[in-house]
Amino acid sequence: DIQMTQSPSSLSAFVGDRVTITCRAGQSISTYLNWYQQKPGKAPKLLIYAASTLESGVPSRFSGSGSGTDFTLTISSLQPEDFATYYCQQSYGTPPTFGQGTKVGIK
Amino acid sequence: EVQLVESGGNLVQPGGSLRLSCAASGFAFSRYAMSWVRQAPGKGLQWVSAMSATGGSTYFADSLKGRFTISRDNSMNTLYLQMNSLRAEDTAVYYCAKVKDSSTWYEGGFDNWGQGTLVTVSS
């Protein structure tokens, strides 16, 4: 299985801050990397697929980059509704595997 | 609008069985592979199983092979997960999820998820 490691595991930020979350794959996965947002008690929501393509309806303050083994999710200006847990997921090899999550909290 | 509605979660004793259902609407169900993904309380996401659009191929997490079975009824737009020999570590919210890309069973991520159904394995 391809191991996915996110950092940090949690962070605190102010509204308006720029936030970056990192995801590292245990082997090269090209750009087969997806990002999800999950709020408490809710299902995950796809934000970005293929490393950098914004899912329809997702605000443009979210962006993704990277290829190979290193990827980032950036929120350019954190909004109150962005406080949530974020997961990366590789779709290069089977089984699909997720990172452990990064919880973004209010500072 | 795509809708996925899971049902069937319950409290079950260790060693017991349970069948989960996922009713789909708002898209061409028979054209898309579907997956089950679970989340133990306070934990992260774990992919469980998938089935191809036609039902001809199935995929399982290695740790679950032999205990779980996936199936679908394209005439009823419904996905199922049969879970046998349940263990305490199977306690989780189980989500069904639609693959984004109809040409594959896992590439492109999962673009629609149900609300989840809770399975609790405890005596």
Side-chain angles (χ1 to χ4, degrees):
Chain A
D1 297 6
I2 300 175
Q3 181 92 353
M4 306 300 292
T5 305
Q6 289 179 232
S7 60
S9 295
S10 64
L11 64 89
S12 296
F14 291 106
V15 171
D17 281 353
R18 181 182 183 89
V19 169
T20 298
I21 298 169
T22 296
C23 178
R24 175 164 288 176
Q27 67 180 71
S28 177
I29 58 170
S30 183
T31 56
Y32 290 91
L33 191 283
N34 312 301
W35 289 99
Y36 300 85
Q37 175 193 66
Q38 187 180 34
K39 296 181 179 178
K42 300 294 186 182
K45 173 187 174 183
L46 179 65
L47 297 177
I48 288 170
Y49 62 97
S52 61
T53 304
L54 205 63
E55 175 71 346
S56 175
V58 174
S60 59
R61 62 180 180 275
F62 290 93
S63 64
S65 65
S67 66
T69 61
D70 295 316
F71 302 86
T72 58
L73 172 70
T74 300
I75 308 172
S76 60
S77 177
L78 197 66
Q79 297 302 300
E81 60 268 31
D82 300 337
F83 292 97
T85 299
Y86 294 84
Y87 294 93
C88 63
Q89 176 241 329
Q90 65 82 17
S91 52
Y92 177 83
T94 60
T97 46
F98 294 86
Q100 81 280 14
T102 295
K103 186 173 183 179
V104 176
I106 303 172
K107 200 169 196 176
Chain B
E1 180 195 3
V2 172
Q3 279 203 312
L4 299 170
V5 179
E6 301 95 336
S7 60
N10 211 334
L11 171 65
V12 61
Q13 291 190 338
S17 297
L18 213 53
R19 188 174 87 152
L20 307 182
S21 300
C22 170
S25 61
F27 68 103
F29 181 73
S30 62
R31 288 183 52 201
Y32 289 86
M34 297 292 294
S35 275
W36 288 97
V37 178
R38 70 183 182 182
Q39 186 169 36
K43 303 296 185 183
L45 300 166
Q46 180 191 17
W47 175 82
V48 170
S49 180
M51 177 165 257
S52 63
T54 62
S57 298
T58 60
Y59 311 88
F60 293 92
D62 282 347
S63 60
L64 301 173
K65 278 179 184 173
R67 294 195 299 124
F68 287 16
T69 305
I70 190 172
S71 61
R72 65 192 292 163
D73 183 340
N74 284 348
S75 68
M76 298 288 289
N77 290 350
T78 304
L79 178 74
Y80 303 99
L81 184 69
Q82 176 68 42
M83 304 184 295
N84 298 327
S85 304
L86 283 162
R87 306 167 181 168
E89 54 264 35
D90 296 319
T91 294
V93 173
Y94 285 73
Y95 296 101
C96 70
K98 169 188 167 290
V99 70
K100 182 172 179 64
D101 184 352
S102 63
S103 66
T104 178
W105 73 265
Y106 64 96
E107 293 177 21
F110 304 111
D111 63 348
N112 286 276
W113 299 62
Q115 85 288 350
T117 188
L118 176 62
V119 173
T120 304
V121 184
S122 175
S123 54

